[in-house]
PDB file of all heavy atoms in Angstrom:
ATOM      1  N   LEU G  10     -30.186  11.494 -31.285  1.00 90.00           N
ATOM      2  CA  LEU G  10     -30.677  10.248 -31.733  1.00 90.00           C
ATOM      3  C   LEU G  10     -31.394   9.474 -30.589  1.00 90.00           C
ATOM      4  O   LEU G  10     -30.772   9.525 -29.459  1.00 90.00           O
ATOM      5  CB  LEU G  10     -29.587   9.285 -32.249  1.00 90.00           C
ATOM      6  CG  LEU G  10     -28.949   9.577 -33.537  1.00 90.00           C
ATOM      7  CD1 LEU G  10     -27.612   8.849 -33.662  1.00 90.00           C
ATOM      8  CD2 LEU G  10     -29.831   9.204 -34.729  1.00 90.00           C
ATOM      9  N   VAL G  15     -34.372   5.327 -35.251  1.00 91.00           N
ATOM     10  CA  VAL G  15     -35.371   5.669 -36.128  1.00 91.00           C
ATOM     11  C   VAL G  15     -35.792   7.152 -35.895  1.00 91.00           C
ATOM     12  O   VAL G  15     -36.014   7.855 -36.750  1.00 91.00           O
ATOM     13  CB  VAL G  15     -36.536   4.649 -35.908  1.00 91.00           C
ATOM     14  CG1 VAL G  15     -37.726   5.165 -36.887  1.00 91.00           C
ATOM     15  CG2 VAL G  15     -36.134   3.264 -36.355  1.00 91.00           C
ATOM     16  N   GLY G  49     -30.982  11.716 -20.433  1.00 98.00           N
ATOM     17  CA  GLY G  49     -29.892  11.052 -19.810  1.00 98.00           C
ATOM     18  C   GLY G  49     -28.970  10.563 -20.915  1.00 98.00           C
ATOM     19  O   GLY G  49     -28.379  11.297 -21.707  1.00 98.00           O
ATOM     20  N   ALA G  76     -23.381  11.694  -1.368  1.00 98.00           N
ATOM     21  CA  ALA G  76     -23.129  11.023  -0.226  1.00 98.00           C
ATOM     22  C   ALA G  76     -23.268   9.508  -0.302  1.00 98.00           C
ATOM     23  O   ALA G  76     -24.123   8.940  -1.158  1.00 98.00           O
ATOM     24  CB  ALA G  76     -24.107  11.402   0.948  1.00 98.00           C
ATOM     25  N   PHE G 114     -25.261   1.584 -19.001  1.00 97.00           N
ATOM     26  CA  PHE G 114     -25.185   2.986 -19.495  1.00 97.00           C
ATOM     27  C   PHE G 114     -26.511   3.654 -19.389  1.00 97.00           C
ATOM     28  O   PHE G 114     -27.029   4.209 -20.476  1.00 97.00           O
ATOM     29  CB  PHE G 114     -24.558   2.896 -20.957  1.00 97.00           C
ATOM     30  CG  PHE G 114     -23.142   2.424 -20.905  1.00 97.00           C
ATOM     31  CD1 PHE G 114     -22.882   1.101 -21.575  1.00 97.00           C
ATOM     32  CD2 PHE G 114     -22.161   2.915 -20.246  1.00 97.00           C
ATOM     33  CE1 PHE G 114     -21.720   0.614 -21.629  1.00 97.00           C
ATOM     34  CE2 PHE G 114     -20.909   2.302 -20.239  1.00 97.00           C
ATOM     35  CZ  PHE G 114     -20.669   1.148 -20.937  1.00 97.00           C
ATOM     36  N   ASN G 123     -38.205   5.959 -16.105  1.00 98.00           N
ATOM     37  CA  ASN G 123     -38.870   4.792 -16.740  1.00 98.00           C
ATOM     38  C   ASN G 123     -39.199   3.617 -15.634  1.00 98.00           C
ATOM     39  O   ASN G 123     -39.588   2.546 -16.037  1.00 98.00           O
ATOM     40  CB  ASN G 123     -38.065   4.178 -17.897  1.00 98.00           C
ATOM     41  CG  ASN G 123     -38.275   5.016 -19.258  1.00 98.00           C
ATOM     42  OD1 ASN G 123     -39.482   5.369 -19.400  1.00 98.00           O
ATOM     43  ND2 ASN G 123     -37.194   5.275 -19.897  1.00 98.00           N
ATOM     44  N   TRP G 146     -36.706  19.466 -10.076  1.00 98.00           N
ATOM     45  CA  TRP G 146     -36.751  20.879 -10.358  1.00 98.00           C
ATOM     46  C   TRP G 146     -37.918  21.031 -11.281  1.00 98.00           C
ATOM     47  O   TRP G 146     -38.043  20.499 -12.329  1.00 98.00           O
ATOM     48  CB  TRP G 146     -35.517  21.222 -11.060  1.00 98.00           C
ATOM     49  CG  TRP G 146     -35.329  22.746 -11.008  1.00 98.00           C
ATOM     50  CD1 TRP G 146     -36.232  23.750 -11.564  1.00 98.00           C
ATOM     51  CD2 TRP G 146     -34.263  23.607 -10.436  1.00 98.00           C
ATOM     52  NE1 TRP G 146     -35.886  24.951 -11.278  1.00 98.00           N
ATOM     53  CE2 TRP G 146     -34.758  24.850 -10.541  1.00 98.00           C
ATOM     54  CE3 TRP G 146     -33.202  23.143  -9.688  1.00 98.00           C
ATOM     55  CZ2 TRP G 146     -33.881  25.904 -10.089  1.00 98.00           C
ATOM     56  CZ3 TRP G 146     -32.407  24.298  -9.299  1.00 98.00           C
ATOM     57  CH2 TRP G 146     -32.729  25.647  -9.467  1.00 98.00           C
ATOM     58  N   GLU G 159     -43.243  12.964   1.406  1.00 98.00           N
ATOM     59  CA  GLU G 159     -43.033  14.397   1.279  1.00 98.00           C
ATOM     60  C   GLU G 159     -43.384  14.578  -0.209  1.00 98.00           C
ATOM     61  O   GLU G 159     -42.767  13.994  -1.108  1.00 98.00           O
ATOM     62  CB  GLU G 159     -41.584  14.779   1.563  1.00 98.00           C
ATOM     63  CG  GLU G 159     -41.421  16.354   1.509  1.00 98.00           C
ATOM     64  CD  GLU G 159     -39.973  16.624   1.944  1.00 98.00           C
ATOM     65  OE1 GLU G 159     -39.276  15.762   2.530  1.00 98.00           O
ATOM     66  OE2 GLU G 159     -39.603  17.814   1.648  1.00 98.00           O
ATOM     67  N   ASP G 162     -47.428  12.688  -3.902  1.00 98.00           N
ATOM     68  CA  ASP G 162     -48.063  12.535  -5.286  1.00 98.00           C
ATOM     69  C   ASP G 162     -47.089  12.662  -6.278  1.00 98.00           C
ATOM     70  O   ASP G 162     -47.038  11.919  -7.238  1.00 98.00           O
ATOM     71  CB  ASP G 162     -49.232  13.487  -5.373  1.00 98.00           C
ATOM     72  CG  ASP G 162     -48.845  14.961  -4.943  1.00 98.00           C
ATOM     73  OD1 ASP G 162     -47.817  15.090  -4.211  1.00 98.00           O
ATOM     74  OD2 ASP G 162     -49.664  15.832  -5.237  1.00 98.00           O
ATOM     75  N   LEU G 173     -41.774  13.937 -17.221  1.00 98.00           N
ATOM     76  CA  LEU G 173     -42.703  14.933 -17.463  1.00 98.00           C
ATOM     77  C   LEU G 173     -43.024  15.770 -16.219  1.00 98.00           C
ATOM     78  O   LEU G 173     -43.649  16.887 -16.396  1.00 98.00           O
ATOM     79  CB  LEU G 173     -43.942  14.395 -18.058  1.00 98.00           C
ATOM     80  CG  LEU G 173     -43.631  13.737 -19.531  1.00 98.00           C
ATOM     81  CD1 LEU G 173     -44.839  12.798 -19.885  1.00 98.00           C
ATOM     82  CD2 LEU G 173     -43.317  14.927 -20.559  1.00 98.00           C
ATOM     83  N   GLU G 185     -28.147  -3.071  -2.602  1.00 98.00           N
ATOM     84  CA  GLU G 185     -28.238  -4.400  -2.162  1.00 98.00           C
ATOM     85  C   GLU G 185     -26.921  -4.867  -1.691  1.00 98.00           C
ATOM     86  O   GLU G 185     -25.784  -4.644  -2.489  1.00 98.00           O
ATOM     87  CB  GLU G 185     -28.793  -5.284  -3.238  1.00 98.00           C
ATOM     88  CG  GLU G 185     -28.939  -6.712  -2.763  1.00 98.00           C
ATOM     89  CD  GLU G 185     -29.164  -7.580  -4.064  1.00 98.00           C
ATOM     90  OE1 GLU G 185     -29.278  -7.305  -5.102  1.00 98.00           O
ATOM     91  OE2 GLU G 185     -29.358  -8.805  -3.675  1.00 98.00           O
ATOM     92  N   LEU G 265     -26.598  -5.264 -40.939  1.00 51.00           N
ATOM     93  CA  LEU G 265     -26.020  -6.656 -40.941  1.00 51.00           C
ATOM     94  C   LEU G 265     -26.944  -7.791 -40.681  1.00 51.00           C
ATOM     95  O   LEU G 265     -26.732  -8.914 -40.884  1.00 51.00           O
ATOM     96  CB  LEU G 265     -24.930  -6.543 -39.878  1.00 51.00           C
ATOM     97  CG  LEU G 265     -23.738  -7.491 -39.998  1.00 51.00           C
ATOM     98  CD1 LEU G 265     -22.918  -7.033 -41.223  1.00 51.00           C
ATOM     99  CD2 LEU G 265     -22.747  -7.223 -38.707  1.00 51.00           C
ATOM    100  N   ALA G 284     -24.637 -22.310 -23.705  1.00 73.00           N
ATOM    101  CA  ALA G 284     -26.007 -22.575 -23.658  1.00 73.00           C
ATOM    102  C   ALA G 284     -26.333 -23.609 -22.441  1.00 73.00           C
ATOM    103  O   ALA G 284     -27.415 -23.769 -21.891  1.00 73.00           O
ATOM    104  CB  ALA G 284     -26.505 -23.267 -24.960  1.00 73.00           C
ATOM    105  N   HIS G 287     -22.950 -23.988 -16.575  1.00 89.00           N
ATOM    106  CA  HIS G 287     -23.219 -23.865 -15.031  1.00 89.00           C
ATOM    107  C   HIS G 287     -21.903 -23.505 -14.450  1.00 89.00           C
ATOM    108  O   HIS G 287     -20.924 -24.153 -14.507  1.00 89.00           O
ATOM    109  CB  HIS G 287     -23.532 -25.351 -14.430  1.00 89.00           C
ATOM    110  CG  HIS G 287     -24.943 -25.745 -14.661  1.00 89.00           C
ATOM    111  ND1 HIS G 287     -25.742 -26.419 -13.879  1.00 89.00           N
ATOM    112  CD2 HIS G 287     -25.639 -25.669 -15.821  1.00 89.00           C
ATOM    113  CE1 HIS G 287     -26.893 -26.680 -14.526  1.00 89.00           C
ATOM    114  NE2 HIS G 287     -26.924 -26.197 -15.648  1.00 89.00           N
ATOM    115  N   VAL G 348     -36.389 -11.595 -25.677  1.00 95.00           N
ATOM    116  CA  VAL G 348     -36.162 -11.874 -24.229  1.00 95.00           C
ATOM    117  C   VAL G 348     -37.548 -12.138 -23.635  1.00 95.00           C
ATOM    118  O   VAL G 348     -38.353 -11.346 -23.686  1.00 95.00           O
ATOM    119  CB  VAL G 348     -35.448 -10.726 -23.598  1.00 95.00           C
ATOM    120  CG1 VAL G 348     -35.288 -10.968 -22.051  1.00 95.00           C
ATOM    121  CG2 VAL G 348     -33.976 -10.609 -24.199  1.00 95.00           C
ATOM    122  N   PHE G 352     -42.805 -11.559 -14.630  1.00 97.00           N
ATOM    123  CA  PHE G 352     -42.795 -10.546 -13.808  1.00 97.00           C
ATOM    124  C   PHE G 352     -43.450 -10.888 -12.479  1.00 97.00           C
ATOM    125  O   PHE G 352     -44.354 -11.669 -12.469  1.00 97.00           O
ATOM    126  CB  PHE G 352     -43.623  -9.285 -14.227  1.00 97.00           C
ATOM    127  CG  PHE G 352     -42.841  -8.396 -15.141  1.00 97.00           C
ATOM    128  CD1 PHE G 352     -43.402  -7.648 -16.130  1.00 97.00           C
ATOM    129  CD2 PHE G 352     -41.381  -8.213 -15.018  1.00 97.00           C
ATOM    130  CE1 PHE G 352     -42.968  -6.718 -16.911  1.00 97.00           C
ATOM    131  CE2 PHE G 352     -40.718  -7.279 -15.890  1.00 97.00           C
ATOM    132  CZ  PHE G 352     -41.469  -6.639 -16.927  1.00 97.00           C
ATOM    133  N   SER G 366     -47.890  -8.122 -12.946  1.00 97.00           N
ATOM    134  CA  SER G 366     -47.705  -9.477 -12.665  1.00 97.00           C
ATOM    135  C   SER G 366     -48.081 -10.290 -13.807  1.00 97.00           C
ATOM    136  O   SER G 366     -49.056 -10.160 -14.429  1.00 97.00           O
ATOM    137  CB  SER G 366     -48.595  -9.861 -11.374  1.00 97.00           C
ATOM    138  OG  SER G 366     -48.422 -11.236 -11.119  1.00 97.00           O
ATOM    139  N   THR G 369     -43.218 -10.964 -19.654  1.00 98.00           N
ATOM    140  CA  THR G 369     -42.985  -9.797 -20.490  1.00 98.00           C
ATOM    141  C   THR G 369     -42.023 -10.430 -21.580  1.00 98.00           C
ATOM    142  O   THR G 369     -41.246 -11.310 -21.468  1.00 98.00           O
ATOM    143  CB  THR G 369     -42.101  -8.710 -19.665  1.00 98.00           C
ATOM    144  OG1 THR G 369     -41.751  -7.715 -20.745  1.00 98.00           O
ATOM    145  CG2 THR G 369     -40.839  -9.236 -19.098  1.00 98.00           C
ATOM    146  N   ALA G 379     -42.956  -0.023 -43.754  1.00 94.00           N
ATOM    147  CA  ALA G 379     -44.331  -0.433 -43.588  1.00 94.00           C
ATOM    148  C   ALA G 379     -44.495  -1.843 -43.072  1.00 94.00           C
ATOM    149  O   ALA G 379     -45.324  -2.185 -42.189  1.00 94.00           O
ATOM    150  CB  ALA G 379     -45.089  -0.052 -44.795  1.00 94.00           C
TER     151      ALA G 379
END
Side-chain angles (χ1 to χ4, degrees):
Chain G
L10 290 164
V15 174
F114 301 115
N123 276 320
W146 197 301
E159 189 176 346
D162 47 343
L173 296 164
E185 186 194 354
L265 207 60
H287 282 222
V348 175
F352 276 152
S366 179
T369 180

